[in-house]
Amino acid sequence: MKKIILFGDSIFNGFRNGQDTDLVTNLFQKGLKDYAQVENISKSGATTVEALDYLHLIPQKRDLVVVEYGNNDAATGWGIRPERYEQNLNEILTKIGKAIVVGLCYPDPTNSEINQFYGDKRLDLFNDIAKKVAAKHSAQFVDILPAFRKLTDISTYYQKDGQHLTDKGNEFLVNQILPAIKKELD
């Protein structure tokens, strides 16, 4: 059986009511059925700065790592400079090897509280960096930002904080990524 490692922030942790859950892990496991074992070592609140410190947590025996960092990096209130994000993501992918890179998740555009830390230009900038770094490392890139932007009734995909996803949002997220995982493991 193949082993998939989820390596990201609170989006991959199914963050809900102030704590991490197994929601996203379970959705990936359900989507991969008996094809792969899913292990989630994501850290809520982390940027790529912390991800570099967590690389040692990635098991040596694995078939694929799905990397999902960028939203916290892009946040103006607690994030990092774009150049640092690019440098960190390059280092992460160099050390990981075979990986899929997931682009940035779109915050609820109707939530002004969370959107004060983002903006379409900044989200696009960091998403483009992730896409460029993935290409440099010959890693598949899953561009979820445009998919989220196309949603109607978008607020139903988010919790009240405007950043973390509801059950519906988590299902949408996982369904965007599963085809890339299956393609990579075929």
Side-chain angles (χ1 to χ4, degrees):
M1 183 177 289
K2 307 277 185 176
K3 186 168 190 171
I4 311 296
I5 305 300
L6 303 178
F7 187 56
D9 56 30
S10 60
I11 300 299
F12 263 16
N13 266 335
F15 196 78
R16 178 148 311 156
N17 299 322
Q19 56 188 321
D20 298 334
T21 71
D22 291 331
L23 290 168
V24 171
T25 308
N26 292 341
L27 287 169
F28 274 111
Q29 191 64 68
K30 181 181 174 187
L32 294 167
K33 296 184 175 65
D34 297 326
Y35 187 67
Q37 175 193 359
V38 178
E39 183 178 336
N40 194 341
I41 60 169
S42 300
K43 302 288 183 186
S44 292
T47 66
T48 53
V49 173
E50 290 84 14
L52 290 169
D53 293 335
Y54 302 143
L55 285 171
H56 70 281
L57 298 175
I58 298 174
Q60 291 298 313
K61 292 191 175 203
R62 84 261 181 183
D63 295 286
L64 180 65
V65 179
V66 183
V67 178
E68 178 274 320
Y69 282 98
N71 279 76
N72 293 331
D73 295 79
T76 58
W78 61 89
I80 62 174
R81 292 183 336 275
E83 301 80 16
R84 181 76 187 271
Y85 174 64
E86 182 173 354
Q87 177 186 349
N88 293 346
L89 196 55
N90 263 310
E91 188 173 341
I92 289 165
L93 293 180
T94 296
K95 290 182 178 178
I96 286 177
K98 188 173 183 180
I100 291 174
V101 177
V102 177
L104 273 67
C105 193
Y106 192 52
D108 182 352
T110 67
N111 186 312
S112 59
E113 187 175 328
I114 193 65
N115 280 293
Q116 68 181 323
F117 301 109
Y118 293 99
D120 284 339
K121 284 185 180 180
R122 191 156 174 92
L123 289 167
D124 288 337
L125 172 63
F126 277 73
N127 200 56
D128 288 345
I129 290 169
K131 187 182 302 184
K132 178 175 86 172
V133 172
K136 177 180 175 182
H137 291 271
S138 300
Q140 273 194 80
F141 180 72
V142 181
D143 198 355
I144 61 174
L145 192 56
F148 270 93
R149 284 179 170 153
K150 290 178 187 174
L151 292 172
T152 57
D153 198 20
I154 194 164
S155 293
T156 63
Y157 290 79
Y158 296 92
Q159 297 175 48
K160 288 181 181 181
D161 67 10
Q163 184 173 19
H164 300 102
L165 302 171
T166 60
D167 288 347
K168 183 178 178 180
N170 283 316
E171 285 179 30
F172 183 78
L173 171 76
V174 170
N175 287 331
Q176 299 303 304
I177 302 167
L178 277 172
I181 293 173
K182 290 175 182 176
K183 180 180 175 185
E184 195 68 41
L185 296 178
D186 280 342

